[in-house]
Every structure is written in structure tokens, then in C-alpha cells.
Amino acid sequence: MKITHLILCTPLTLVSGYASANDSSERVLEDPPHMNVTRKHVALLAVPNPTTASTNAPQMQSSNEALFTWELKKTKNKLWNPATKSYDTVILRSYQGTDTQPNTPYIAPTIEVFPGETIRANLDNQLDIDPITHQKPTKDLSCTSDHTDVNKPHCFDGTNMHTHGLWINPAGNSDNVLVSINPGVNFQYEYNIPPDHPTGTFWYHPHRHGSTAIQVASGMAGALVIRGYRQPTLNKTGDLDLLTYGFKERTLVFQQIQYACYDANGNIETDSNGSYICPNNQIGEIRDYQGFGPGEWGKSGRYTSINGEVQPFITQAVAGQVERWRIVHAGIRDSINLSIRQMQNIPSRLDLTPMGEKKLLSESCTGPIVSQHLIAADGLTLKQVMDKTVTVFQPGYRYDALMQFPQEGRYCLIDEAASASANVDRAFSERHLLGIIQVDKATSAPQSLTMALSNNAKQNIAPDMLPAVLQDLQQNLKLSHFVPHQDLPATPYKQFLEFNIDTNADPVQFQVNGKPYQPDRIDRTLELGKTDEWILTSKLASHPFHIHVNPFQVVAVYDPNGKDVSDINAVDDYDKSTTPDPQYRGLKGTWKDTIWVKNVKGASYKVVVRTKYERYIGDFVLHCHILDHEDQGMMQNIRISLPDGNGGITQGHH
């Protein structure tokens, strides 16, 4: 089967009035570029009884190998700035190489593979040449192994690669984030996707301790989609792609590229309000960690981009048609509170300058809200479709949503305002316009979401399981035959983790369990095959917890008064000074790889999760996914070891 991808083109007349004529056609949203995979063969979909399988069932590729090249360079290009109604010239670290696009260099291509396939990726670090002078700069001694202050951001041009959310080997040249690929070094990664790997939406980004934030903030990130069409059976769940096959798909990678211009003293140029400016046609860049702090993203005046475009126009949606949106928060620290509202009182010409944006949001983005029908969290299928009016994305989060627009017209894609207690930046955030959606008139009678999924099931699910799948869909859109992991039982084995920022230390320390990161220290040695229950808290501020390799199942989230706010009908109203926080509601029983550990005015929530260490041994990390916190020490080394057969853990064969 050939997987087709949308190339969104639209006549200029469709977007007239959206922006000035010289930029409107360029800012129509397209999916990120796709890395092409040449496959050796195509195998028919495996079903229990092939003679009765639907002839319309999708096909599946397997036993193939993909070869890509990431060339890491500083790239000169442009980003739209609504404040000036023009493009800013910028020079940022970016991935070039296989299937990258010159017009959008700050979004990496999407990788699409199937379970059982192998990715071979050459990471070629070419960052030792200055793109302006073409001179080789002085050697960065902070990239050397004897660099002493490991938790001070350093080695800005050293790198490596992390496949966020993948269940693969963390060692060697697989998902190994404990290596440094310095300028001038070429290293080949090999990612063997196991045949039983869950399908879903994942992503990839650099993870070299000391430079992770500066590189991800430059746009060095891309989506990684694992597709599959494995049938559900009585003993094994199948792939959700069977139910969404044929729906229009969009991949939306949110990024927060906080470029700046600098004065002669190396300070960021700002106006009287603190917003970043680039006077005298200066070139924007990200030199250091200035501006990576609480509230700084909001003050900077920069805009969240989607697939490398700021405030794009999303076209080719059709009223009543179901679309699958794969949404990735690939920013480094600021929360996104996603909502979609129908636009009313549409002005004859859209002014998207900061003042015009506020007017549009208050006067036009006021129509009925469109439900986001969530089907997967962090790439892993939910037990049933969960409807959200606002979906909260913390850094590292992914959600897959089925979108169905009720009627033709324009819709506002909005980052809603959030209280300080619900926001990574610990500051109240204002509403912002992320983009505008153009929905065309329906070409056929619309179907309900239940009917659309049921029709796909009738086409693609083998006859012996079809009645059970259809019954689930009729009962509140349950997806129980497509959840890739079984519920984990209660366990007496506990792991405790507390995030903290010690502001009394000099310099300030970013800690996990009272200690900043040390690369030569193993903080936890865990046993292969064992299930642990983790209790996550935060002593100061809130932090998104992320652990590599094995995902976890959410057991409960307790507010400081002991109320569980993770149930489907729970209301998180602990902070009486603001509206209830929607982000934990419905997470009980959900599988994820990143979760928000909340602190409100010094009082910590308690997040309880369970995880089982399966298949892979080796060393990897857990950390706060506010990436400048990780670079400054909010990280631990984890080791998974074999049991020794005597009730302990083996320390090696000698």
C-alpha cells in the first residue's frame, strides 16, 4: 500500500484578506516534509481467516530498512513576525539532509515506519563552520569530557538524538542519549523497531546534556509515526490505524523558536515593553540561554509556530468530514492550551499584529467551540474516545484527535489563556491565535463519529472480531480492542521522585531527589521484568516528568488535599483563585511517557503511575521536560539490569 500525504495548496483568492499578498500563499499550512522510505516488498494484511477478509482492508509493509541522513548545520532563512508584518531573517541550528525542505528548514521531516522495520540514520554534525564568515571558530572546550560544570549549559554545538516515546534499545547506537556527537563527527544510529511495538505518534529531537534546550528551541525536532494494521484477536489488541484508515490526516508540530537579536554587549534587544526586536535588519539567532526562564516566552513576543510557520492558514477541511490530527508539543517550556472556535463577525481584512490579534480573539473568535475527540495520548491508544474542549499540552506531550467541523466557514485555532498554576512558565498566559482553519462546504451527507469509525471497522476488521469492535464503538466509543498495553496490577515495589529547584544554593541547583545530575552516577538500578509504582511530587514549581524506553500507566493524581483529579468526571479546583484546571481530567488508566507534576503555591500534587521494565537492559535517563531544567541538572541516570536468580540484581558476570 502506498501511504499518501497531503500537500495543501490553495488559490491566493481563498486566503485573501488573511494577510498581505506577499505572504499569504506561503503561509498555508502543509504537513512537515516526509522522509521517503523505499521498501523491498509489500505483505498483505495478516488476518485470522484470509479467505473472508475484506478486499478493502489496508496492506502493511514489513521487514524493511530505511536509511536517512541528518546534517546538523546553522541555516539562514526567515520566520514570519506578525508584530512587524514581515519576515525576520534568522540563522538557527537545523537539520538538513534527507527530504528536508529549503523553505521550512526549522521543522525536521516526519519519519514513518512500521513495526518490525529498522531505521538507520546518519547524524552528521557540521556545526563547526560559521555560516556568515565561513570560518571555523575556536574549539569549544566545554564539549570535552573533562568539562567540570556539567549542569551549566554548554557544548551548544555538540549533539545526539533521542526517539521520544519509542520502546527500543537505549544502548549502543540505538536510543542512546549518553553520547556526545561533537562538531566534525558523523555517527550512525540504528533503531530496530520490534514487531510488537505499538503504533502511534512519537517524535525525535537532540538530547545532549547541556545543549538540549538551545537546539530544540532552534527547531531541531520532527514527528515519528509508527503505522500498523495488525488485527485484534481474542488474546491480543490490534492497531488503531484500522479504524482511522482513509481519514484525512494532518501532522501538527508545535514549536517555540525564541530567536533574538543582540546588542554590542551580548544582551537581547528589546523594546520598552520587553518584547524582542531586531533593529537595523539584524539577523535573529539563539546564542545562549538568555530568555529561558519563567515568563520569558510570553514577554518575548515570539509566536508558537506550526510545522515551521507562524499563524498559518489551514485549508482543505470539509464540513462533516472526519480528520485525524497528530499533534506534537515540540517546544522547550511553555504550555499550550489548545481550543478551536468557529469564527463570527469575520472582518473584511484580518489584522494579526498584536493589537489586531487581541481584537480578533475578543470579537470574532467567539463562536461555538469544536470538540477534540482524543484517541491517543503520547502515541498510545486510549481506552475510549475522550472529548475535550481544551486540550492541555505540556512540553513533550502528544495527542491524536479526531476532528469534525460542523459546518463550512472559518475557525480559530487558539492557545487559550492559562493560570500560573497550570502553566510551565509559572505566569498567567494570554490567549493567542495559532492559526485559522478554512472549512469548505460538505460534499456529502455528514456521518456521526460513531458511524464513521463503524464503517471503517466493517471494511477493515476481520469477521470474527467485528461484532465485538462494533459493540465497543456503540458503547461510548470504546477502543478496548486497540489499547497496546494491559493494565498493570498493584505492586508493593515503590519508587519515589521529587523535583526541586534549590534557590538557596549558589549557583541555583535543579534537582531530582535533592541532587543535581552527575553523569557518572547511577541513581536507580531497576530489575528487568519487574513492575514498580512511582510516586511523583514537586517541591518547587511544576515540572513535566519524562522517562525513556518504558511508558507508564496513570494510577491517580491527587491534589494537595488528597482529592483524585484524574477521573473522567473529576474537577481540579484546588486553586480557588482561578478556573478549574482541565489537564488531569480523564487521565486515570491512561498510558503515557510524559506527565505534569503540579505544584500550586508551594503545595505539591501527588502523581501515581506504574511501569514495567520489559525486554531492554542498559542505562538511560528520566528528567524534567522543561529542557533548560534538564540541561541544568534536573535529570537522573537509570539502569535496568537482569535479575541474578537469587532475589537480587546482577552486577555483571565477573
Side-chain angles (χ1 to χ4, degrees):
M1 179 192 67
K2 181 180 179 182
I3 302 293
T4 58
H5 307 293
L6 301 176
I7 300 177
L8 302 181
C9 301
T10 188
L12 186 59
T13 55
L14 180 64
V15 296
S16 63
Y18 172 61
S20 60
N22 69 342
D23 74 273
S24 57
S25 60
E26 297 177 17
R27 287 167 49 225
V28 172
L29 186 73
E30 296 187 5
D31 270 10
H34 286 78
M35 287 190 179
N36 292 316
V37 178
T38 303
R39 292 182 164 88
K40 298 177 183 177
H41 67 275
V42 176
L44 288 175
L45 177 69
V47 295
N49 184 358
T51 60
T52 60
S54 168
T55 56
N56 294 320
Q59 297 170 324
M60 175 178 176
Q61 297 92 335
S62 62
S63 302
N64 290 287
E65 185 174 280
L67 178 63
F68 308 131
T69 296
W70 291 299
E71 295 177 355
L72 177 51
K73 300 178 178 180
K74 282 191 176 179
T75 305
K76 185 176 181 179
N77 210 277
K78 60 184 182 179
L79 287 170
W80 179 252
N81 186 349
T84 60
K85 295 191 289 187
S86 63
Y87 285 97
D88 287 340
T89 301
V90 295
I91 290 183
L92 299 169
R93 297 164 179 84
S94 74
Y95 293 125
Q96 300 299 297
T98 305
D99 293 323
T100 54
Q101 296 297 316
N103 293 332
T104 53
Y106 310 125
I107 175 65
T110 297
I111 301 171
E112 288 193 0
V113 290
F114 287 82
E117 293 190 324
T118 296
I119 302 171
R120 295 186 187 275
N122 292 315
L123 182 49
D124 184 5
N125 189 345
Q126 301 180 18
L127 279 178
D128 58 340
I129 299 296
D130 186 283
I132 300 297
T133 64
H134 303 287
Q135 299 295 313
K136 192 169 183 177
T138 304
K139 184 175 179 62
D140 182 4
L141 296 178
S142 68
C143 258
T144 59
S145 59
D146 59 351
H147 177 69
T148 55
D149 194 353
V150 297
N151 294 320
K152 179 179 180 181
H154 63 287
C155 194
F156 294 162
D157 293 334
T159 194
N160 59 29
M161 184 61 71
H162 172 43
T163 50
H164 183 125
L166 290 197
W167 177 47
I168 58 175
N169 186 357
N173 63 339
S174 186
D175 188 33
N176 185 351
V177 301
L178 300 176
V179 297
S180 181
I181 303 170
N182 292 346
V185 176
N186 186 316
F187 180 75
Q188 185 177 94
Y189 282 92
E190 179 182 296
Y191 305 120
N192 295 307
I193 313 298
D196 54 347
H197 195 291
T199 59
T201 304
F202 307 95
W203 65 300
Y204 63 92
H205 62 85
H207 207 295
R208 203 276 185 198
H209 182 61
S211 64
T212 303
I214 200 170
Q215 293 182 11
V216 175
S218 299
M220 290 172 57
L224 199 166
V225 175
I226 297 185
R227 294 188 182 273
Y229 303 107
R230 294 165 294 197
Q231 288 284 337
T233 67
L234 291 175
N235 301 316
K236 188 178 294 186
T237 59
D239 292 330
L240 185 64
D241 291 350
L242 290 167
L243 295 186
T244 65
Y245 182 76
F247 292 167
K248 182 191 291 288
E249 283 198 12
R250 302 182 195 267
T251 300
L252 283 70
V253 180
F254 294 139
Q255 296 169 288
Q256 293 156 342
I257 301 176
Q258 198 168 336
Y259 64 92
C261 293
Y262 298 80
D263 63 20
N265 297 317
N267 298 314
I268 292 175
E269 297 266 22
T270 63
D271 62 17
S272 58
N273 297 317
S275 296
Y276 293 5
I277 57 173
C278 287
N280 304 317
N281 297 316
Q282 283 182 267
I283 296 176
E285 53 187 325
I286 303 178
R287 290 185 184 176
D288 49 36
Y289 280 52
Q290 287 186 71
F292 292 173
E296 293 296 328
W297 169 255
K299 290 192 299 184
S300 72
R302 297 296 179 229
Y303 289 76
T304 298
S305 60
I306 307 175
N307 301 346
E309 297 285 2
V310 172
Q311 292 181 335
F313 204 91
I314 301 172
T315 65
Q316 294 191 353
V318 177
Q321 185 181 82
V322 180
E323 300 187 357
R324 180 174 180 172
W325 288 19
R326 299 176 181 269
I327 310 172
V328 180
H329 187 336
I332 68 165
R333 62 171 303 120
D334 197 66
S335 307
I336 296 172
N337 303 274
L338 188 69
S339 77
I340 301 170
R341 286 188 177 273
Q342 191 165 11
M343 188 182 292
Q344 300 178 328
N345 306 315
I346 301 175
S348 59
R349 188 168 186 82
L350 300 182
D351 175 10
L352 298 181
T353 60
M355 291 300 296
E357 177 195 25
K358 289 182 179 179
K359 183 177 181 181
L360 184 75
L361 287 167
S362 64
E363 297 181 1
S364 299
C365 298
T366 56
I369 201 160
V370 179
S371 288
Q372 301 165 56
H373 308 288
L374 304 186
I375 57 174
D378 292 352
L380 303 173
T381 303
L382 300 173
K383 292 183 177 181
Q384 70 180 80
V385 176
M386 181 164 45
D387 286 355
K388 291 278 189 177
T389 55
V390 177
T391 303
V392 180
F393 289 81
Q394 303 296 0
Y397 276 28
R398 288 94 62 215
Y399 280 109
D400 286 37
L402 298 181
M403 300 302 306
Q404 193 173 27
F405 297 95
Q407 54 187 271
E408 66 177 310
R410 288 186 175 179
Y411 294 77
C412 302
L413 190 66
I414 303 170
D415 182 0
E416 294 285 358
S419 67
S421 64
N423 192 13
V424 164
D425 266 0
R426 290 189 283 162
F428 177 82
S429 63
E430 297 182 357
R431 296 179 88 205
H432 283 289
L433 184 73
L434 295 170
I436 292 178
I437 306 163
Q438 175 68 45
V439 177
D440 298 331
K441 186 177 181 179
T443 55
S444 59
Q447 296 179 329
S448 68
L449 185 59
T450 301
M451 182 62 69
L453 291 171
S454 297
N455 285 342
N456 268 358
K458 292 173 184 177
Q459 293 292 320
N460 300 324
I461 302 299
D464 61 336
M465 289 299 295
L466 180 59
V469 171
L470 291 176
Q471 183 178 8
D472 264 8
L473 292 174
Q474 293 294 331
Q475 295 179 354
N476 298 318
L477 291 171
K478 291 182 180 178
L479 303 171
S480 56
H481 294 284
F482 303 93
V483 180
H485 298 291
Q486 295 181 348
D487 290 344
L488 291 177
T491 174
Y493 305 108
K494 310 293 183 184
Q495 295 287 328
F496 296 90
L497 180 143
E498 183 179 65
F499 290 123
N500 186 37
I501 304 173
D502 186 352
T503 58
N504 294 319
D506 188 17
V508 171
Q509 288 189 353
F510 292 78
Q511 302 173 338
V512 180
N513 287 6
K515 297 178 181 179
Y517 178 70
Q518 283 298 325
D520 57 353
R521 184 185 69 225
I522 300 297
D523 296 282
R524 301 173 196 263
T525 301
L526 308 170
E527 182 179 332
L528 186 70
K530 190 175 180 180
T531 298
D532 280 343
E533 186 166 280
W534 291 62
I535 294 88
L536 314 174
T537 56
S538 177
K539 192 174 181 179
L540 179 64
S542 304
H543 307 273
F545 166 84
H546 173 54
I547 189 167
H548 293 200
V549 184
N550 294 293
F552 50 79
Q553 186 176 29
V554 179
V555 175
V557 180
Y558 299 105
D559 75 7
N561 291 330
K563 174 185 174 182
D564 187 356
V565 295
S566 64
D567 191 72
I568 191 64
N569 295 314
V571 177
D572 181 5
D573 56 0
Y574 173 77
D575 187 353
K576 303 300 182 184
S577 66
T578 186
T579 56
D581 183 355
Q583 63 184 306
Y584 287 127
R585 186 175 183 175
L587 288 187
K588 182 183 288 291
T590 298
W591 285 84
K592 288 177 62 60
D593 58 51
T594 309
I595 193 166
W596 178 245
V597 184
K598 185 175 172 181
N599 181 296
V600 177
K601 301 174 182 177
S604 180
Y605 283 53
K606 183 169 69 174
V607 178
V608 182
V609 302
R610 292 181 192 140
T611 187
K612 185 176 182 180
Y613 319 115
E614 297 189 87
R615 184 172 294 166
Y616 299 109
I617 61 172
D619 297 348
F620 55 93
V621 296
L622 62 80
H623 58 92
C624 169
H625 219 280
I626 301 173
L627 293 179
D628 55 292
H629 288 185
E630 180 260 297
D631 280 334
Q632 295 176 87
M634 199 171 279
M635 185 164 76
Q636 284 189 335
N637 284 327
I638 307 300
R639 173 170 293 167
I640 305 295
S641 293
L642 287 169
D644 63 6
N646 296 309
I649 297 176
T650 181
Q651 301 299 321
H653 65 281
H654 290 294

